[in-house]
Amino acid sequence: MCACEARDNTDSLADGTISRRENIYQPSLMEVLQVRRQSADVKSVRLRFSDEAEGKAFSFKVGQFGIFSLFGYGESVFNICSSSNWKDYIEFCFRKTGRVTNALWNIEEGDTLGFRGPYGNYYPMDAWRGKNLIFIGGGIAMPPIRCAIWYALEQRQDYGDITIVYGARTVGDLVYADELDEWATRERVRVVRCVDPGGETPDWKGEIGFVPTVTEKAGIAASNAVALVIGPPIMIKYTLPVLAKMGLADQDIYTSLENRMKCGVGKCGRCNSGPVYVCKEGPVFTLEQIRLLPEDF
Amino acid sequence: MSEVISARALRELIGGWLKAGIRVAGPRRVATDQVAYAWLDRPEDCLLGGYIHPHNSIKEFFFPRHESLYEYRIEGKKIALKNPEPLADERIVIGARPCDAAAMPILDHVFNWDFKDPFYNRRREQTTVVTLACREHDHECFCTSVGLGPDAERGSDVMLYELDGDMYEVRCVTDKGGNLMAGRTETSQLTGSVPPGPAKKFDLAYLRETIGSKFESPVWTEATLRCMACGACAYTCPTCHCFDIVDEGNARGGIRAKNWDACQFPMFTLHASGHNPRNTQPQRQRQRVMHKFSIYPDKFGDVLCTGCGNCTRHCSVHLGVQTVLEAAEKSWRNATV
Ligand code: SF4
Ligand code: SF4
Ligand code: FES
């Protein structure tokens, strides 16, 4: 599960100062290039490394997360929701819920944020080559799926049919709505959108219903497929039996756990769930792996 | 043959270290009824005997309750980061108990598996640990149940044994300890020894074997329902290592700090969505005990507990891992399935 080798970051300065390179807690500075409002309480942010060389040296894999910070308010953990093929910037998405995210809500172009990462494991995009991909997301869980969707679309020849099922409480809560429209125009891509009953608008053309039921009715071919399912625990719980019924095996169903994290580097103990440190051995797990974990996430 | 030092010479030695600018920590009376490991101002501050276990642990000299990771300055839209203050000072912890000293090599694992924590590591390098073997124990001590004992040497650079006549036998365990005591001791015929320590409170091998499959055991709730989530167990524990990272400052700047935290607090695992995977106190107690006796040893090969007893000693409802493990062993052994 874990590809952990010890990293040598020892490089202290002569006077005993802990150097930038050595300080695993010190972030890179990033400039805000763009802030977009995705829904009533969700925004997406595009960032570029303030230090050009640092930006050039940076790479990550889709599915990994970062620790983003607003100085004076603190750090917050988000998936890096841009594709790893995009070289000039990275993106993350947040919902206004707590102290840090409420303050983040007011950031604008030109502001400076902190970033540490990338941390954690990633989606096995290589192993998924040649497979049909089923992406299922609920609510704010679109961003951690979006990075994989773009990645697959950019390496289109490597992947089979792509099905995206995305649901939110109301039409206004669907994030990346414009990108959903764009994905729907691509070849061999099917986008199924749904909102909870009552969450529709008069001109709503998508489905009305909850993600598990909509998925079940969508008639998705499950042969040679892998599924990535991310969303609230309740959505995941009811979607899993549907996927099983469709014929997907536990090792072909992936999710990304949203445990609370602080350090991201396997120290602070916060993300520990059963035998795993989610920040190190996760956040990406197959259902087969999840079944071995105690009900503690 | 042994090496010894008189109590007087030892105090002079402490005075010499302090004069030389070395920071020395040791057990110190901080209230009528309370002894804590604390920085010493004068050699006479240090208690060299007469205490069972201080109310804190020596981990705070390596992993402080509050520590600046770096400074930030906010200038308009720009941010400037500054390295933290240099960590260059030499340090000595004297009068540590073996259960405190042993905690440090156990904590080395988590602070170094993959990413290395430079703050912790620097202090480990800088600090020499002089341990005082235990002649007494109280009801809460259980070092012998986790493979340690009243004069276990793990994590110590020097071991001191109290002898009659205000003398101490000095046994250097590491080169660091040898260098510290070189030329300070006299040769003698006297050797120190300690009584065998507390009787075993539970069968560690049995618990290690069993605990992994006992996640759903009712004993967690039965034994821990009275916990009040105060966190004292974690804060007084030499091996608990959870922390939070927070900003402390104002509109112009401040520090980003690493502060102790505890898995006993309800907020510890609360997700942004409002979902809390450990929503009840027994779930949080189970986490503390399982982390120490199942998760950590499975991952790093060491039980994350030295049997110091602090978590029971300082708990207002007398819980702590010892109480929970005793109850667990009894319940699991009696279980018919
Ligand atoms: S076990 Fe005791 S010391 Fe620990 S949180 Fe509960 S009441 Fe506090
Ligand atoms: S768990 Fe309790 S007995 Fe064990 S090291 Fe921590 S405070 Fe001491
Ligand atoms: S987030 Fe700190 S250990 Fe995983």
Side-chain angles (χ1 to χ4, degrees):
Chain A
M1 237 192 265
C2 144
C4 37
E5 83 259 20
R7 295 159 203 237
D8 187 17
N9 57 324
T10 28
D11 174 30
S12 40
L13 307 180
D15 68 347
T17 301
I18 285 166
S19 71
R20 166 73 190 86
R21 192 172 102 84
E22 200 180 13
N23 193 346
I24 54 174
Y25 302 106
Q26 187 166 325
S28 303
L29 296 178
M30 298 198 92
E31 187 193 333
V32 176
L33 296 182
Q34 186 195 73
V35 183
R36 283 189 54 200
R37 191 160 176 154
Q38 294 288 348
S39 76
D41 57 1
V42 175
K43 280 184 177 179
S44 62
V45 182
R46 179 175 291 180
L47 298 170
R48 178 178 61 200
F49 282 89
S50 302
D51 182 306
E52 205 179 312
E54 226 178 314
K56 283 222 165 75
F58 179 79
S59 70
F60 75 101
K61 294 194 159 164
V62 286
Q64 288 191 290
F65 65 93
I67 297 194
F68 298 83
S69 56
L70 184 57
F71 295 95
Y73 295 90
E75 299 188 315
S76 238
V77 177
F78 305 107
N79 163 268
I80 305 173
C81 70
S82 43
S83 160
S84 52
N85 292 320
W86 305 350
K87 293 296 174 215
D88 298 326
Y89 53 83
I90 59 170
E91 293 178 338
F92 74 97
C93 218
F94 69 94
R95 182 200 263 163
K96 197 159 69 148
T97 49
R99 186 177 134 78
V100 179
T101 46
N102 267 291
L104 270 177
W105 192 255
N106 300 319
I107 57 164
E108 37 188 56
E109 244 171 73
D111 283 347
T112 306
L113 296 186
F115 167 81
R116 307 193 272 124
Y119 296 135
N121 68 352
Y122 39 84
Y123 306 132
M125 297 305 295
D126 289 343
W128 289 356
R129 283 211 188 108
K131 308 240 181 211
N132 297 321
L133 307 179
I134 304 169
F135 296 108
I136 301 174
I140 178 67
M142 195 63 220
I145 298 178
R146 172 204 187 229
C147 52
I149 295 176
W150 277 120
Y151 184 92
L153 290 174
E154 285 152 2
Q155 257 93 289
R156 192 67 193 90
Q157 69 289 350
D158 289 347
Y159 302 97
D161 295 342
I162 296 178
T163 311
I164 301 162
V165 181
Y166 176 40
R169 260 176 327 185
T170 72
V171 175
D173 289 315
L174 292 161
V175 302
Y176 287 112
D178 51 339
E179 298 191 7
L180 283 162
D181 289 339
E182 188 186 337
W183 298 331
T185 66
R186 302 289 186 103
E187 251 179 71
R188 288 185 295 128
V189 177
R190 178 163 166 229
V191 177
V192 182
R193 271 161 282 207
C194 62
V195 294
D196 293 359
E200 71 274 16
T201 48
D203 58 347
W204 175 243
K205 297 207 178 50
E207 308 287 327
I208 296 172
F210 297 102
V211 168
T213 353
V214 171
T215 307
E216 188 163 16
K217 284 202 228 134
I220 306 163
S223 63
N224 192 33
V226 292
L228 175 62
V229 190
I230 311 179
I234 189 84
M235 182 210 95
I236 298 195
K237 186 172 169 203
Y238 288 105
T239 306
L240 294 177
V242 174
L243 294 172
K245 222 160 105 189
M246 283 162 52
L248 272 128
D250 285 359
Q251 67 267 28
D252 292 325
I253 302 173
Y254 293 78
T255 191
S256 183
L257 292 185
E258 299 190 319
N259 282 50
R260 186 156 179 193
M261 303 186 203
K262 270 288 164 184
C263 73
V265 289
K267 307 275 172 271
C268 76
R270 178 91 43 162
C271 68
N272 176 234
S273 173
V276 301
Y277 283 66
V278 174
C279 71
K280 296 268 321 111
E281 287 127 312
V284 182
F285 294 94
T286 64
L287 181 55
E288 190 182 28
Q289 292 165 329
I290 297 261
R291 287 204 199 282
L292 298 174
L293 299 182
E295 288 267 355
D296 197 26
F297 50 85
Chain B
M1 290 282 267
S2 66
E3 292 298 313
V4 298
I5 190 168
S6 71
R8 206 173 132 196
L10 189 56
R11 271 198 208 284
E12 277 168 15
L13 189 53
I14 296 174
W17 292 333
L18 288 168
K19 248 192 220 108
I22 297 171
R23 296 189 78 190
V24 187
R28 186 174 172 170
R29 191 162 296 283
V30 291
T32 317
D33 202 13
Q34 210 167 57
V35 172
Y37 293 114
W39 294 114
L40 304 176
D41 297 311
R42 302 161 309 170
E44 47 287 19
D45 292 339
C46 189
L47 298 176
L48 286 166
Y51 59 97
I52 303 277
H53 192 284
H55 84 260
N56 57 347
S57 79
I58 69 165
K59 90 176 164 198
E60 61 190 273
F61 305 112
F62 303 86
F63 166 42
R65 302 156 191 236
H66 171 269
E67 169 166 59
S68 168
L69 298 169
Y70 50 91
E71 253 179 75
Y72 59 87
R73 295 261 127 230
I74 305 173
E75 287 139 18
K77 288 189 171 299
K78 295 287 162 231
I79 303 286
L81 299 185
K82 225 179 104 203
N83 289 328
E85 292 300 312
L87 294 179
D89 52 335
E90 189 185 336
R91 297 156 160 222
I92 294 164
V93 177
I94 186 159
R97 286 305 189 193
C99 51
D100 277 300
M104 304 324 298
I106 295 175
L107 281 176
D108 285 351
H109 301 302
V110 72
F111 283 112
N112 287 286
W113 71 303
D114 193 5
F115 293 96
K116 295 177 193 299
D117 186 310
F119 297 88
Y120 173 88
N121 287 342
R122 183 65 53 80
R123 294 210 174 86
R124 285 282 282 141
E125 285 156 26
Q126 288 163 340
T127 310
T128 310
V129 178
V130 182
T131 299
L132 184 57
C134 300
R135 288 211 297 202
E136 285 175 308
H137 59 265
D138 65 12
H139 179 73
E140 282 74 30
C141 291
F142 63 97
C143 51
T144 45
S145 307
V146 291
L148 292 165
D151 64 345
E153 291 180 350
R154 190 167 189 204
S156 299
D157 296 299
V158 179
M159 291 295 298
L160 298 178
Y161 290 77
E162 290 166 75
L163 298 170
D164 291 337
D166 272 346
M167 298 288 286
Y168 297 88
E169 190 201 336
V170 179
R171 291 188 203 160
C172 295
V173 182
T174 64
D175 289 348
K176 209 186 206 177
N179 293 337
L180 185 75
M181 301 308 288
R184 304 295 185 172
T185 55
E186 305 159 35
T187 313
S188 157
Q189 299 301 326
L190 299 169
T191 54
S193 67
V194 289
K200 285 206 179 165
K201 305 281 171 72
F202 50 80
D203 179 349
L204 181 66
Y206 169 78
L207 287 170
R208 283 282 298 116
E209 219 170 87
T210 325
I211 195 168
S213 62
K214 295 294 185 190
F215 191 79
E216 307 289 353
S217 167
V219 80
W220 302 118
T221 306
E222 286 157 14
T224 70
L225 206 52
R226 66 183 190 272
C227 169
M228 302 184 301
C230 71
C233 46
Y235 281 46
T236 58
C237 173
T239 55
C240 274
H241 62 82
C242 289
F243 61 85
D244 197 2
I245 298 177
V246 295
D247 284 15
E248 296 175 358
N250 57 29
R252 301 204 185 147
I255 59 166
R256 189 156 284 166
K258 190 178 173 191
N259 292 342
W260 285 0
D261 205 344
C263 61
Q264 296 310 298
F265 300 141
M267 291 280 286
F268 190 72
T269 48
L270 185 67
H271 291 197
S273 64
H275 170 70
N276 194 346
R278 288 181 217 128
N279 219 2
T280 68
Q281 204 52 33
Q283 289 172 333
R284 299 188 271 269
Q285 278 285 332
R286 171 176 66 192
Q287 167 64 17
R288 181 162 190 269
V289 175
M290 288 200 82
H291 187 221
K292 288 178 176 294
F293 287 87
S294 174
I295 301 161
Y296 203 88
D298 283 354
K299 217 172 195 64
F300 301 123
D302 270 316
V303 165
L304 189 64
C305 171
T306 62
C308 76
N310 259 3
C311 56
T312 303
R313 201 174 284 125
H314 300 294
C315 174
S316 49
V317 294
H318 211 258
L319 258 175
V321 298
Q322 170 185 349
T323 314
V324 180
L325 288 174
E326 279 175 355
E329 180 173 3
K330 204 162 141 213
S331 149
W332 298 341
R333 281 198 195 271
N334 289 341
T336 40
V337 280

